[in-house]
Amino acid sequence: MNELKLRDDILDELGYEPIVDAAHIGVAVDQDVVTLSGHVGSYAQKLAAISAVRRVKGVHGIADEIEVRYSSDAKATDDEIARRAINVLSWDSVVPSNAIQVTVRDGLVTLTGKVNWYYQKSSAERDVRRLSGVRSIVNNIEIEPHAKADNVKMKIEAALKRHAEIEAKDIRVTVRDDDEVLLEGKVRNWDEKFAVENAAWSAPGVKNVKDRLTIES
C-alpha cells in the first residue's frame, strides 16, 4: 500500500476515535510499520489511539512513542493511584477479592497476583487503565487454571469455526503441556488476529497463548 495513503487512512481513523485528540499525535509510516509519537492526556487515550491504528488495513506493525502527560491539576501521587486502583478492583465483581496486588512507581502500575481465568486478568487491567495519573501498566497477574483441559485444541478449533470473521482453515493450533497454546498461520487483519487470540484464551484451562499469526499483505 502507498505510504501516503496509509498515513492518511490512519489520520482519518484517529480523527474518528472520539476520546483521542489526533492533533497531538504524530504518524510516520515506513513500509507497513507505523510510528506513533506526540502526547495524550491519559493512558486510556494512548491505548485508544493504538487500537484505532490497528484497525487500519495495511498496518502490520506499530512503534509506540506516545507519551502520557497530565496537567498539573490532574497529577496524582503514587500512593493515591495505588489506593484508587485497590478500590476500583474491589468494586469489580469479576476480579476475585484480594487476589490482586498493586505496586506504583512514577505512574507505572504493576499488577501481580493469581486468578483462574484470563478474562479476570484483563478485567483488572481495564479497571486500572482508566485511573487518572496512570502512565503505563505492567500486568504480571498469573493464571491458575481451575482444571486441566485435555481437549483444549478441539475446543479452540470449534470456537474458531463458529466465528464468521475467521478463516479457520489457515490457522494452526498446537497445545503444549495441556495449558499452553501456540497459534500459527495467516489472518486477514488485526481484528481477525485478536478474535483468534480471544478464542484461544476463552478455552478452559489455557494458561498461556503464544501468537505467531501473521497478517496477510
Side-chain angles (χ1 to χ4, degrees):
M1 176 180 288
N2 181 279
E3 291 181 359
L4 290 177
K5 174 64 165 60
L6 180 56
R7 184 176 183 274
D8 287 343
D9 288 347
I10 292 169
L11 290 172
D12 287 343
E13 190 66 24
L14 287 171
Y16 188 72
E17 179 58 55
I19 75 168
V20 175
D21 186 353
H24 293 127
I25 298 177
V27 177
V29 178
D30 183 3
Q31 296 182 3
D32 53 6
V33 176
V34 178
T35 300
L36 300 177
S37 57
H39 64 274
V40 292
S42 71
Y43 185 61
Q45 291 174 2
K46 172 175 177 168
L47 295 182
I50 295 171
S51 179
V53 174
R54 283 175 175 161
R55 293 195 295 265
V56 178
K57 183 178 181 180
V59 174
H60 288 186
I62 299 174
D64 168 27
E65 297 178 3
I66 299 174
E67 296 181 23
V68 178
R69 299 180 185 174
Y70 291 96
S71 60
S72 58
D73 59 346
K75 288 182 179 179
T77 62
D78 288 344
D79 59 336
E80 288 174 333
I81 297 171
R83 283 195 297 270
R84 293 172 186 170
I86 292 170
N87 286 336
V88 75
L89 290 171
S90 69
W91 299 332
D92 189 342
S93 60
V94 169
V95 179
S97 178
N98 300 319
I100 310 300
Q101 292 79 50
V102 179
T103 305
V104 185
R105 181 169 182 173
D106 296 330
L108 169 63
V109 180
T110 301
L111 302 176
T112 56
K114 295 181 179 179
V115 296
N116 289 327
W117 293 92
Y118 177 73
Y119 72 83
Q120 295 170 326
K121 173 177 178 173
S122 59
S123 182
E125 181 173 337
R126 282 196 302 271
D127 291 340
V128 175
R129 74 172 56 154
R130 302 187 184 101
L131 299 177
S132 174
V134 174
R135 295 184 179 276
S136 186
I137 298 175
V138 176
N139 191 341
N140 287 335
I141 299 172
E142 298 180 29
I143 299 172
E144 284 193 325
H146 62 281
K148 291 288 185 179
D150 296 332
N151 59 345
V152 170
K153 186 176 189 296
M154 180 184 69
K155 288 181 178 295
I156 294 173
E157 290 178 339
L160 293 178
K161 291 177 181 177
R162 290 195 298 270
H163 283 271
E165 71 272 22
I166 297 176
E167 193 65 43
K169 65 181 178 60
D170 294 327
I171 298 169
R172 297 185 299 280
V173 178
T174 305
V175 179
R176 301 184 290 197
D177 299 326
D178 290 331
D179 57 11
E180 180 178 88
V181 177
L182 173 64
L183 300 174
E184 298 175 294
K186 291 185 177 181
V187 292
R188 291 167 292 188
N189 50 54
W190 284 94
D191 285 343
E192 186 172 311
K193 182 179 174 73
F194 291 141
V196 175
E197 287 182 12
N198 288 335
W201 277 117
S202 297
V206 172
K207 190 172 183 179
N208 188 35
V209 174
K210 291 192 174 181
D211 179 3
R212 295 180 183 170
L213 297 169
T214 59
I215 298 175
E216 294 178 344
S217 300

